[in-house]
Amino acid sequence: MPKINGNEIRPGNILEHNAGLWVAVKVDHVKPGKGGAFAQVEMKNLRNGSKLNERFRSADKVERVRLEQKDQQFLFEADGMLTFMDLETYDQIALPADLLGERRAFLQDGMTVVIEYYDEEALNATVPQKVTCVVEETEPVVKGQTAANSFKPAILDNGVKVMVPPFVGQGESIVVDTETMTYSERA
């Protein structure tokens, strides 16, 4: 695995540190008046979710880990576990539902999800960036209100609340950005 300098750490990098696998969540490069520059890195443990703030000088070497990404199809959920199938080998794997966090609501039957592996251990799962959902509940469309740049709350078929433009009505399909949890466009 490649070693990188402490000042080369970027958000999203996966590092092997203190015998654990950590993802860099936030990186601040600090140049104090006295002493050398350093990177203040906020990290999250990929296995247990604990957080750690660490200071890396530019001379410090850190192991950067590359995870293998595989496309897998979501099959079903049972007893708090999500079951996925590898599209190439047809092997099935069960992962805890909390692995997806708040994006769990966007998971749909048959959806292809990217799962990241370290050796044989599944560490992370990512739903597609754009997902189509149906508006279950929102305020009715008011004529003449479309000129204003105002959004109204809507509840989707998966229970997620998003802000939608005033022209979107109940029962319509919309595309939601799963990274920002916001309305993207009409479907």
Side-chain angles (χ1 to χ4, degrees):
M1 277 177 244
K3 283 195 179 273
I4 60 171
N5 293 336
N7 61 350
E8 295 174 343
I9 299 171
R10 300 286 175 260
N13 285 163
I14 292 150
L15 311 170
E16 192 170 322
H17 180 67
N18 290 350
L21 285 177
W22 303 81
V23 62
V25 178
K26 190 174 166 188
V27 180
D28 288 325
H29 293 281
V30 182
K31 295 178 188 165
K34 264 182 156 178
F38 60 87
Q40 185 72 35
V41 182
E42 183 181 316
M43 300 186 295
K44 181 179 172 195
N45 190 308
L46 287 172
R47 292 191 174 110
N48 62 20
S50 63
K51 291 197 172 185
L52 174 71
N53 267 321
E54 196 72 53
R55 187 177 281 189
F56 294 99
R57 303 225 172 262
S58 60
D60 295 343
K61 295 281 190 193
V62 186
E63 278 296 324
R64 181 167 174 212
V65 178
R66 294 209 186 270
L67 298 181
E68 181 185 356
Q69 296 185 333
K70 287 185 180 176
D71 286 347
Q72 305 216 327
Q73 185 178 29
F74 173 64
L75 298 177
F76 60 89
E77 178 177 8
D79 301 326
M81 298 296 278
L82 304 174
T83 303
F84 297 92
M85 178 180 68
D86 190 315
L87 295 173
E88 294 170 9
T89 62
Y90 302 110
D91 292 338
Q92 290 187 9
I93 182 171
L95 300 174
D98 59 356
L99 186 70
L100 285 170
E102 59 187 18
R103 281 145 189 79
R104 161 68 193 93
F106 292 105
L107 199 59
Q108 298 167 352
D109 287 344
M111 179 181 275
T112 301
V113 175
V114 176
I115 297 181
E116 295 179 317
Y117 288 90
Y118 178 67
D119 293 331
E120 293 296 314
E121 181 184 8
L123 292 175
N124 195 12
T126 312
V127 296
Q129 187 177 354
K130 304 237 184 220
V131 175
T132 303
C133 298
V134 177
V135 176
E136 285 283 315
E137 190 179 313
T138 188
E139 298 167 12
V141 176
V142 178
K143 281 196 182 249
Q145 196 181 22
T146 56
N149 191 8
S150 61
F151 280 67
K152 61 184 181 180
I155 299 174
L156 305 176
D157 56 351
N158 56 11
V160 176
K161 289 182 181 175
V162 295
M163 299 299 283
V164 297
F167 57 79
V168 174
Q170 199 165 324
E172 285 190 54
S173 294
I174 62 169
V175 177
V176 178
D177 187 325
T178 58
E179 284 182 18
T180 58
M181 307 275 277
T182 56
Y183 166 87
S184 181
E185 62 192 359
R186 270 185 169 160

